[in-house]
Amino acid sequence: MIVILLASLIMVLLACLMAWILGWANRAFHVEVDPRVSAVLDALPGANCGACGYVGCGEYAEAAASGEAPPDLCPVGGDSCAQAVAEILGIEVGQKLPFRPVVHCGATYDKRLIHSEYRGEPSCRSANLVGGVQACTYGCLGFGDCERSCPFDAIHVIDGLARVDYEKCTGCGACARVCPRNIIHMIPFKSERVMVVACSNHDPGKYVRQVCKVGCIGCGMCARKSDLFRVEDNLAHIDYDQYDPESMDEAQLALEKCPMNGILYIGEPGPEELEQTDGEDVGEPVRDEFQTTVDDTEWHG
């Protein structure tokens, strides 16, 4: 009986000692947490996409609360999120234009004049290492690396060409980062619909005509019609710093005069386009499952 009581007493003393040690350690090693970190984290969308440049929303919240990062780095949350974070931090932030990805290629399968066979891993990164996958060395390879990288299911390969669903797109930039040909660029959307040059080919015009029906031939027609355009290295570019959605008459003329129909609008369709497509069955995008083994399947670039 005495042994049992002694053992119980020792256990109680040890428990008290451990409790005291834990209490001391809690006070000695306690790290004060800025309550604004939790508040900022609650204001963020929680996508953890890394588009802000930080590993996740938690790390960005800590950086924003400490003043190391501005409150408007989250492209997913947009302007409303930036305003909410700024209010928590007690600072002001101006309205920021949303940036969205643009695929600078408009050549679907039927617009490509030369097709080659590709037998291998259906990945843009892998196909880009093989010469001659498609005649145009600048165009979309169409194997869907961008589609698989998007956490919001906002980009799909349809008829061999990556297409962005701007209703779902948040501007995280994941698709632009994985494109091995760097033909997906993030541009400022000053309106719901933005004019773009749907080409990335820098070859002289006579070679572009041999491989594509809609490629830019660097003729300079657009630049002669509007100061918004310039031609560099055989390719037309749009100056988005000067882009004004309210003053697009000359740019619209450039679009209409383009001999290759390589200038177009992307984004939300306008009323006229909605009327033209009213009642039409546009179908569902086809999504190919990613395969990791080389087989005898014929892949067209």
Side-chain angles (χ1 to χ4, degrees), residues 259-273:
M260 301 298 288
N261 296 318
I263 304 172
L264 46 85
Y265 278 100
I266 60 170
E268 296 296 323
E272 295 181 359
E273 291 173 297

Side-chain angles (χ1 to χ4, degrees), residues 84-120:
V85 173
E87 184 176 351
I88 293 170
L89 301 179
I91 59 178
E92 294 184 358
V93 61
Q95 187 175 8
K96 187 175 182 180
L97 290 172
F99 277 70
R100 296 292 182 264
V102 170
V103 181
H104 287 283
C105 178
T108 51
Y109 282 140
D110 60 311
K111 300 297 191 300
R112 303 172 189 178
L113 299 179
I114 301 177
H115 295 271
S116 302
E117 292 186 8
Y118 170 68
R119 297 173 182 266

Side-chain angles (χ1 to χ4, degrees), residues 40-57 60 70-85 96-101 149-154 166-175 177 186:
V40 171
L41 189 58
D42 291 339
L44 296 174
N48 290 311
C49 60
C52 60
Y54 292 87
V55 174
C57 294
Y60 172 54
D72 58 353
L73 287 186
C74 179
V76 178
D79 186 61
S80 60
C81 177
Q83 295 293 342
V85 173
K96 187 175 182 180
L97 290 172
F99 277 70
R100 296 292 182 264
S149 73
C150 180
F152 303 99
D153 192 38
Y166 290 100
E167 291 185 355
K168 295 181 179 179
C169 180
T170 62
C172 71
C175 55
R177 291 192 293 272
M186 304 298 292

